Amino acid sequence: MSKTDSKGKHHFHIELTPAQFQMLSDQSKQCGLSKRAYLVRLIEGVPVRARPSQEIKDLRWEVHKIGVNINQIARSVNAGIARAEDAKRGLYLLDQVYELMYQVAKK
């Protein structure tokens, strides 16, 4: 049964088993949402995805640092300090890192 308040919003009561409530709590927490927000997104058909794990966050940070290093190499090449082969090697390695990130993200 549903009740409507003065603003036209419906209040809905639902009963869950302890296991169902735990599942709802765990799933909403993984997504970084309140239980209400999680359920509303499910009802509206909005995709809900788990937050990236700490491992993924750490990996992103490492890739960022590698990108900074590659930019430094590029500046050195442009200034005539480093060789173009150094920059090519750095870009190749970055490409390998992005491929690994993609593989991890697909899991």
Side-chain angles (χ1 to χ4, degrees), residues 40-52:
V40 168
R41 287 187 184 191
L42 288 176
I43 291 167
E44 292 174 345
V46 176
V48 288
R49 297 191 301 186
R51 281 187 189 173

Side-chain angles (χ1 to χ4, degrees):
M1 179 174 270
S2 169
K3 291 185 180 181
T4 306
D5 67 11
S6 61
K7 296 179 183 177
K9 293 190 176 190
H10 292 268
H11 297 268
F12 183 71
H13 174 82
I14 184 171
E15 292 181 14
L16 300 173
T17 66
Q20 291 169 332
F21 182 78
Q22 189 61 51
M23 287 174 58
L24 174 61
S25 297
D26 292 344
Q27 291 171 3
S28 64
K29 187 175 183 179
Q30 287 176 350
C31 296
L33 299 169
S34 67
K35 289 181 249 342
R36 180 197 173 283
Y38 180 77
L39 289 172
V40 168
R41 287 187 184 191
L42 288 176
I43 291 167
E44 292 174 345
V46 176
V48 288
R49 297 191 301 186
R51 281 187 189 173
S53 66
Q54 188 59 45
E55 179 184 31
I56 297 293
K57 290 177 184 178
D58 293 343
L59 184 58
R60 285 180 180 165
W61 177 247
E62 289 298 320
V63 169
H64 169 73
K65 291 191 310 187
I66 291 168
V68 169
N69 289 339
I70 289 173
N71 284 335
Q72 291 172 346
I73 291 169
R75 280 194 288 278
S76 296
V77 169
N78 290 335
I81 298 169
R83 298 173 300 149
E85 293 81 25
D86 296 331
K88 287 180 186 176
R89 177 72 177 152
L91 289 173
Y92 171 77
L93 293 173
L94 182 62
D95 186 49
Q96 296 299 309
V97 170
Y98 278 126
E99 180 61 30
L100 289 171
M101 265 185 78
Y102 176 73
Q103 295 300 323
V104 169
K106 283 186 2 181
K107 292 183 181 178

